[in-house]
Amino acid sequence: MRSLIVATGNTGKFEEIKSLLPNEFDTFYSLRDFEENIEVEEDSPLYVENALKKARKIGDRFGIYTIADDSGLEVEALGGKPGIHSSRYGSNDDERIEKLLTELEGIPWEKRGATFKAYLAFYIPENERSYVFYGHLTGYIGFKKKGSGGFGFDPVFYISELKKHLAELTREEKNRISHRGKAVYAFKNFLNTDFFKSPRVLNL
Ligand code: IMP
């Protein structure tokens, strides 16, 4: 029986990741499933280091395979902000969106380019090895909210190719194109490699 901890308390993230790995694990846990509150200070300026730190700390505490995603939204007109600080940009999604739209007031469409980035760290407690997977999605920050799906900045993230905002997509549609979807897809392929399936990966 294979279990996986998705080291997040963010329900949106957890549900997205879980739905992308339907056959890979029997049981999924999020941090909401544990009474113990393990503090992981995300103090690096690099997504990748925060993701690795989180995966290692949680994986070592519970002795279960763990993945941690550190992600963010980088807006060109704001010099890459909010970026690594995306989750701390406001105290809830509505506040974060309001702040973003206010900062972009008067900025024309062609300068509202933005990229979502996701780094996914996978940690194996048995041998203390970590692997990192990456995905990104480019689009534009719209002028007002649209749609009710997803989470975070999804209602204001416009994808020109689809002529839709991320929050207007179903979970499956978002997963197919999103930064996190691409990173999880790479992780899923890794789980199916001969390398991962061989005893070598567990350092035996
Ligand atoms: P983290 O939990 O530190 O990785 O914070 C990621 C933050 O980036 C979230 O709280 C959202 O504000 C934003 N974010 C990351 N991925 C997405 C997404 O798929 N949709 C919308 N917002 C996202």
Side-chain angles (χ1 to χ4, degrees):
M1 167 134 158
R2 242 170 28 167
S3 302
L4 181 74
I5 299 176
V6 183
T8 184
N10 179 327
T11 314
K13 259 192 199 181
F14 179 63
E15 292 301 331
E16 282 183 13
I17 293 174
K18 194 170 127 177
S19 70
L20 279 160
L21 301 165
N23 304 313
E24 280 65 26
F25 296 92
D26 305 300
T27 313
F28 290 87
Y29 300 101
S30 86
L31 294 183
R32 288 171 184 256
D33 292 313
F34 302 101
E35 264 176 38
E36 189 181 343
N37 181 25
I38 300 166
E39 282 294 326
V40 184
E41 214 187 323
E42 296 182 29
D43 50 3
S44 168
L46 301 175
Y47 301 101
V48 64
E49 286 185 352
N50 289 325
L52 282 166
K53 187 175 178 186
K54 214 179 329 179
R56 286 190 191 127
K57 191 153 182 191
I58 303 296
D60 278 337
R61 170 66 190 86
F62 297 107
I64 296 174
Y65 286 153
T66 299
I67 55 172
D69 150 307
D70 200 38
S71 48
L73 175 69
E74 300 185 0
V75 181
E76 277 171 40
L78 302 178
K81 276 201 307 176
I84 195 97
H85 303 297
S86 294
S87 59
R88 285 162 273 171
Y89 198 52
S91 52
N92 56 52
D93 285 343
D94 284 339
E95 229 181 270
R96 288 185 270 268
I97 289 176
E98 277 319 306
K99 185 168 173 192
L100 182 64
L101 293 181
T102 306
E103 290 210 43
L104 289 176
E105 247 165 38
I107 307 278
W109 188 246
E110 64 277 10
K111 292 190 179 150
R112 298 173 77 98
T115 305
F116 270 124
K117 294 184 177 172
Y119 285 83
L120 192 75
F122 173 52
Y123 179 69
I124 304 173
E126 285 99 316
N127 60 12
E128 300 182 350
R129 287 195 197 185
S130 314
Y131 301 89
V132 176
F133 307 91
Y134 170 77
H136 71 266
L137 172 67
T138 54
Y140 291 88
I141 303 302
F143 291 93
K144 53 179 193 239
K145 293 200 250 182
K146 245 183 144 187
S148 55
F151 69 96
F153 296 101
D154 285 355
V156 288
F157 192 89
Y158 182 79
I159 301 133
S160 328
E161 294 82 7
L162 302 178
K163 295 190 169 55
K164 278 184 179 172
H165 290 70
L166 263 187
E168 293 180 275
L169 306 183
T170 62
R171 183 186 291 146
E172 290 68 32
E173 287 169 332
K174 179 181 172 186
N175 276 342
R176 228 173 284 141
I177 59 159
S178 78
H179 48 309
R180 188 166 303 98
K182 288 170 192 157
V184 177
Y185 186 70
F187 168 53
K188 189 169 165 166
N189 280 339
F190 172 77
L191 294 175
N192 285 312
T193 56
D194 292 339
F195 169 71
F196 182 69
K197 289 181 183 166
S198 77
R200 269 196 64 198
V201 83
L202 288 179
N203 215 11
L204 302 172

